[in-house]
Amino acid sequence: MQTTRHFFPDFNAWLDRLPDTRVQEACTYDKRFLAWWGLQLYLLQLGSRRQLDYELRDGGPQVLDNLNRLAQTEQTTLPVHDTLDHFLGHVKLTGWERLRRQCVQRLLRMKVLDAARLLGRPVLLLDATGLICFHRRHCPYCLVQRHGKQTLYLHHVLEAKLLGPAGVVVSLGSEFIENADAADAKGKAAEEVKQDCELKAARRLLPRIKKEHPQLRFVLAVDNLYACGATFALAKQLNWSYVVTFKEGRTPALWREYQALLPACPENTLRRQWGDGRVQTFRWVSHLDYQDSDGRSWKLNALECTETTTDGPRHYFAWLTDLPVGRNTVEEIAQQGGRSRWKVENEGFNRQKNSGLNLEHVYSIDPENWKVYYVLLQIAFVLTQLLERGSLLRRLALECGRPFWRLFGSLKNVARRLLDSIRFVAWEESWFDAAVAKKLRIELDSS
Ligand SMILES: [Zn+2]
């Protein structure tokens, strides 16, 4: 049974330890209060910093009291949105990354995410996405792209998310894809500057994650961009494993070898029929030889899944892995390591872009601060998922005699109800009793 007991009572203590470099006299606001104020941007899916003023500052008789209860503070006024921007910058990116680490480590220690492990090991989903795009240079580190006469200045991020049960994905680390040697780029045309890229960012991010979580032997779940010697070597160095999407275009010789060997091992087949009419056929070949562009030799295992439905189209997926593939493991590797990768896109980036979380919005014009907002969003999204996928809302729905989706209609409505609540409902002191909270168990629905 996975529970998030002891998570929320300690959250304020973690906020207390945020490194805050504001000048003492200027600290009219407690950092716990400002941190919660910032988190509301995403918990309530307000979409922009200005909405904090409209929806919260001027928007409800209970906001100040409720936030004071949440942050255990005694503020007498609400801040303007620029105060938040200054505060977030003074805590700096490293401060917010530490807060994220504290959240993740607690969830790991409580074994909340264990049901999604692959062969007993945690699955790390890795994917990159575009964040902001300007027509003028925004900072010295922008990626530069030429499209005909147009030049675009971009910022991308590589995100590592830990796979949990019930569709939960927890942000573990982020690496911004940007040109670090900005001085070098001065006076040079875009095509002369060596642009940063996803694979280079992975070589910075993954060793850092290893350092922060030396005891965890992750399985990397990545797309076919990573089907190269550099990834295999990095995984070996970190003592991790990988499940990489296998496609003909990226590794054509290996693909041909796999296709040639498949008919030679007809016993490597597993058929699974589901109650809804779906049929999955798994096939695999072990110990394929692969020589990378640097002349290194690798032994790789390949597996595939063909899925047919009674009336729908046929789906085909294939992966490469260093995990042992056989009758007992092929299905788990395909599901947890292979198909789960889409979750980082669906639950992660798509949801974060196409909702009030507004991932691609420029929350701060300060060239350093927008990264802080990115990490703050990731922290808030962990809290949001614990609420949405946890047992408390389900229990509430049960008490009302309605299924969860009928109670709120959509996840967007959950955020709207929260907003109504913080504005108009006087939250009771007893709701924040740490002793009571410690007895409360939130389980993730892993069925
Ligand atoms: Zn920039």
Side-chain angles (χ1 to χ4, degrees):
M1 192 174 284
Q2 299 84 40
T3 75
T4 55
R5 202 148 52 144
H6 305 308
F7 184 87
F8 289 106
D10 288 338
F11 194 77
N12 272 334
W14 299 335
L15 295 183
D16 249 347
R17 294 202 287 270
L18 284 172
D20 182 359
T21 61
R22 283 177 302 169
V23 190
Q24 208 59 40
E25 306 88 76
C27 298
T28 26
Y29 286 99
D30 191 289
K31 56 186 165 186
R32 284 200 309 270
F33 190 87
L34 286 178
W36 274 114
W37 185 249
L39 285 164
Q40 299 310 324
L41 260 180
Y42 306 111
L43 296 174
L44 307 175
Q45 302 192 18
L46 298 179
S48 76
R49 195 148 49 89
R50 225 160 18 143
Q51 287 297 96
L52 276 175
D53 287 358
Y54 297 129
E55 298 279 17
L56 291 189
R57 198 178 138 79
D58 310 321
Q62 299 296 339
V63 174
L64 180 63
D65 283 350
N66 284 342
L67 270 168
N68 271 328
R69 286 194 188 96
L70 200 55
Q72 295 162 344
T73 50
E74 288 171 354
Q75 305 298 159
T76 51
T77 58
L78 289 165
V80 290
H81 66 250
D82 278 340
T83 310
L84 175 69
D85 204 39
H86 288 143
F87 165 70
L88 294 178
H90 279 285
V91 170
K92 294 198 169 61
L93 189 61
T94 48
W96 299 107
E97 285 174 334
R98 194 177 76 183
L99 175 63
R100 170 171 60 184
R101 204 155 57 238
Q102 285 165 320
C103 294
V104 174
Q105 276 167 345
R106 182 57 58 89
L107 292 175
L108 283 167
R109 213 173 318 144
M110 291 186 299
K111 303 184 184 302
V112 174
L113 309 169
D114 277 12
R117 284 186 172 224
L118 166 57
L119 305 181
R121 295 162 63 172
V123 177
L124 199 59
L125 313 168
L126 211 57
D127 212 356
T129 195
L131 282 183
I132 47 178
C133 174
F134 300 96
H135 290 278
R136 290 167 172 221
R137 185 174 275 286
H138 145 268
C139 73
Y141 310 108
C142 299
L143 299 175
V144 186
Q145 268 180 22
R146 278 274 160 78
H147 295 275
K149 281 190 179 159
Q150 214 178 33
T151 305
L152 296 178
Y153 298 90
L154 311 154
H155 281 269
H156 293 192
V157 68
L158 176 67
E159 179 68 21
K161 285 196 160 77
L162 202 52
L163 179 71
V168 169
V169 282
V170 176
S171 175
L172 191 72
S174 317
E175 178 68 23
F176 296 94
I177 304 175
E178 56 186 19
N179 295 325
D181 41 2
D184 196 43
K186 241 184 188 160
K188 282 189 190 168
E191 43 279 13
E192 291 171 53
V193 180
K194 221 164 177 198
Q195 302 288 317
D196 194 15
C197 69
E198 185 174 341
L199 285 176
K200 284 190 209 165
R203 287 203 287 275
R204 300 193 295 271
L205 175 62
L206 300 184
R208 211 170 66 220
I209 291 177
K210 173 77 180 183
K211 223 170 168 180
E212 289 165 3
H213 305 276
Q215 77 288 9
L216 294 176
R217 286 189 65 201
F218 291 107
V219 178
L220 287 174
V222 284
D223 67 23
N224 76 324
L225 171 74
Y226 292 85
C228 61
T231 310
F232 305 149
L234 183 58
K236 192 177 167 190
Q237 178 203 324
L238 301 173
N239 199 20
W240 294 356
S241 287
Y242 47 85
V243 179
V244 186
T245 305
F246 189 16
K247 279 189 177 159
E248 183 174 9
R250 183 79 170 131
T251 44
L254 194 60
W255 182 265
R256 279 196 301 275
E257 198 193 341
Y258 174 60
Q259 297 302 332
L261 286 172
L262 259 181
C265 25
E267 71 283 5
N268 290 0
T269 302
L270 181 77
R271 197 167 172 277
R272 209 36 106 211
Q273 184 144 17
W274 298 92
D276 57 7
R278 270 181 313 137
V279 176
Q280 291 179 319
T281 308
F282 301 93
R283 298 200 295 169
W284 63 95
V285 174
S286 295
H287 310 303
L288 290 166
D289 286 310
Y290 172 65
Q291 192 164 57
D292 69 28
S293 53
D294 291 324
R296 290 170 291 199
S297 295
W298 304 96
K299 286 272 185 214
L300 300 169
N301 305 320
L303 63 149
E304 62 175 46
C305 170
T306 309
E307 185 174 296
T308 51
T309 47
T310 37
D311 48 353
R314 177 180 168 276
H315 296 288
Y316 176 83
F317 317 92
W319 301 276
L320 292 166
T321 182
D322 62 334
L323 293 168
V325 183
R327 193 161 299 280
N328 296 327
T329 61
V330 67
E331 197 178 356
E332 194 177 333
I333 294 172
Q335 304 292 14
Q336 299 292 84
R339 303 185 67 178
S340 65
R341 208 190 60 74
W342 297 333
K343 287 201 174 126
V344 75
E345 257 181 78
N346 294 334
E347 299 292 330
F349 293 141
N350 288 350
R351 171 95 191 273
Q352 291 183 359
K353 285 182 179 183
N354 304 308
S355 71
L357 294 167
N358 216 359
L359 182 74
E360 291 162 298
H361 176 72
V362 183
Y363 279 95
S364 176
I365 49 166
D366 184 311
E368 279 306 308
N369 268 18
W370 68 267
K371 295 179 184 173
V372 166
Y373 285 88
Y374 177 86
V375 173
L376 197 64
L377 188 158
Q378 301 308 324
I379 295 167
F381 194 56
V382 173
L383 305 183
T384 294
Q385 289 181 94
L386 292 180
L387 172 74
E388 290 174 356
R389 314 279 172 167
S391 51
L392 289 186
L393 274 192
R394 266 159 196 82
R395 204 180 308 159
L396 179 68
L398 205 66
E399 280 168 16
C400 298
R402 276 184 285 178
F404 170 73
W405 55 272
R406 287 263 300 272
L407 191 62
F408 291 99
S410 72
L411 292 176
K412 194 172 133 201
N413 289 345
V414 177
R416 281 239 315 262
R417 295 286 185 87
L418 267 181
L419 178 60
D420 288 346
S421 172
I422 199 168
R423 288 164 71 176
F424 301 113
V425 179
W427 292 352
E428 290 169 28
E429 209 62 62
S430 65
W431 300 354
F432 298 90
D433 188 327
V436 176
K438 278 193 174 170
K439 281 186 220 145
L440 210 64
R441 302 171 81 92
I442 306 175
E443 286 141 35
L444 292 179
D445 173 20
S446 50
S447 57

